[in-house]
Amino acid sequence: MSTRSESGDGRRDPDLTSVMSERRQLINLAYRLLGSLSDADDVVQESYTRWYAMSRQQREAIESPGGWLTTVASRICLDLLGSARARRERYVGEWIPEPLPDRTEWISGRPGGTVADPADRVTLDESVSMAFLVVLESMTPAERVAFVLHDVFRYPFTEVAQIVGRTPAACRKLASSARRRIRPPHAAATPTAQQAGLVRDFKYAWEAKDIDALIGLLDPDATATADGGGQVSTLHRPIEGAAQVARYAVEIGGLIPDVTILERTVNGQPGLVAQRDGVVVTVMAFDVADGRIRHIWAVRNPEKLHPWTARP
């Protein structure tokens, strides 16, 4: 694809410069808003479709193509979030956001395992940790959009208001309400190296079927949640309590033969993946605080594992 496009009268069409360079930003925004990479990609495609549906004169009249695309993408996400609750009520079992691998291991879901376009990769930071995304799921659509746009992407409330369709003061309240959900009083954060060590110890104890060692690594109120999407057998509701989580881990480990457990980065944090015959069948994300594992999320729905493995 050319990096420059000229109209018939010699004026440069902004599409392939300022417009196409916005793709990564839009993917990053939409993924955080929706918790689904496939939905985020659909939102970005629809945003560009609407851009190109306008005449060249209409596009050239837009002062900030990036701002226009962000507004359109955010509004599409807001509409999708409004209908997501109804869709997830029909979802089989628990719904967990789609897990993302480290960029060095990113694989597209296309046949042959072609490496995905770098523009499709989501920047991995605290705002895409599984714990963060799960809390976002508890927000109203307006809270989520206002919070992500302002606190994560640093848009001023005057611009957020235009996107959400409320006053700046109302958007400030929405973000404040969301912030209280994200930042309640909680245990001190655990350094990444220590998190990795805990996850590694969990792996070893799990492989050894050592229930006591697993209990020692878990917070007493630890929970485990699994997402099979009705396509593979798994938990239909979270398991609560360190002893219960440990026993279930050992039990399920014995029911799944010939699986290799590997340490991997999941949404920017230390995690584990389970492979069978070289294919990733489960991705596990962890929430760690005060030196203990307090939540485990296991994604087994194959439709959510496209970036992790090439499908036949």
Side-chain angles (χ1 to χ4, degrees):
M1 179 180 290
S2 171
T3 59
R4 175 174 176 152
S5 177
E6 302 247 349
S7 61
D9 58 9
R11 288 179 294 174
R12 179 181 296 186
D13 188 328
D15 292 3
L16 297 180
T17 53
S18 60
V19 174
M20 296 311 295
S21 65
E22 296 292 329
R23 179 175 173 78
R24 182 169 185 172
Q25 173 82 349
L26 296 173
I27 286 285
N28 272 275
L29 172 64
Y31 174 73
R32 285 162 174 79
L33 289 177
L34 301 175
S36 166
L37 189 62
S38 55
D39 286 348
D41 188 63
D42 289 343
V43 166
V44 175
Q45 294 299 330
E46 174 62 20
S47 300
Y48 278 113
T49 296
R50 295 186 187 185
W51 172 265
Y52 286 110
M54 296 187 294
S55 67
R56 177 176 57 80
Q57 289 78 9
Q58 288 174 315
R59 296 197 299 267
E60 289 179 343
I62 294 174
E63 182 177 351
S64 172
W68 186 94
L69 286 164
T70 296
T71 297
V72 170
S74 298
R75 288 175 177 170
I76 295 173
C77 288
L78 188 59
D79 290 341
L80 287 175
L81 287 169
S83 61
R85 293 180 185 274
R87 294 200 312 272
R88 289 172 190 171
E89 285 176 0
R90 301 190 296 270
Y91 193 80
V92 179
E94 297 290 319
W95 191 95
I96 298 175
E98 291 182 18
L100 298 179
D102 183 78
R103 66 181 60 246
T104 60
E105 297 183 29
W106 191 287
I107 304 174
S108 78
R110 295 186 290 273
T114 306
V115 176
D117 186 325
D120 290 334
R121 296 173 179 167
V122 177
T123 302
L124 302 179
D125 58 27
E126 289 183 358
S127 66
V128 291
S129 71
M130 191 62 73
F132 188 93
L133 293 176
V134 168
V135 175
L136 289 181
E137 288 294 317
S138 69
M139 300 178 184
T140 67
E143 281 179 338
R144 187 165 182 167
V145 173
F147 174 78
V148 170
L149 283 172
H150 180 266
D151 282 45
V152 178
F153 288 89
R154 304 302 179 187
Y155 281 85
F157 282 118
T158 52
E159 295 184 25
V160 175
Q162 295 175 5
I163 293 171
V164 178
R166 305 195 186 191
T167 65
C171 289
R172 188 175 288 106
K173 289 182 180 179
L174 286 170
S176 177
S177 174
R179 206 173 292 122
R180 286 193 294 272
R181 298 175 191 255
I182 286 288
R183 300 171 185 164
H186 58 70
T190 304
T192 301
Q194 188 177 348
Q195 292 183 47
L198 282 168
V199 171
R200 183 178 302 114
D201 290 343
F202 181 91
K203 171 183 178 293
Y204 293 154
W206 188 17
E207 291 173 330
K209 299 182 174 57
D210 189 336
I211 292 179
D212 290 337
L214 288 170
I215 292 174
L217 296 169
L218 295 165
D219 184 272
D221 297 320
T223 60
T225 307
D227 178 349
Q231 300 193 47
V232 294
S233 61
T234 189
L235 300 170
H236 279 229
R237 61 184 59 188
I239 291 180
E240 301 178 348
Q244 290 79 2
V245 171
R247 291 191 184 98
Y248 179 80
V250 170
E251 178 183 344
I252 198 67
L255 295 175
I256 306 176
D258 304 321
V259 169
T260 301
I261 308 299
L262 302 171
E263 298 173 50
R264 293 289 184 266
T265 296
V266 181
N267 285 61
Q269 302 289 327
L272 299 174
V273 303
Q275 289 185 347
R276 180 182 294 153
D277 298 326
V279 176
V280 174
V281 294
T282 304
V283 173
M284 300 174 64
F286 296 79
D287 181 30
V288 175
D290 282 343
R292 297 286 186 92
I293 296 169
R294 62 181 179 182
H295 207 122
I296 303 170
W297 296 278
V299 179
R300 301 198 66 217
N301 184 345
E303 295 302 318
K304 293 185 176 183
L305 301 180
H306 286 175
W308 294 85
T309 185
R311 295 172 62 85

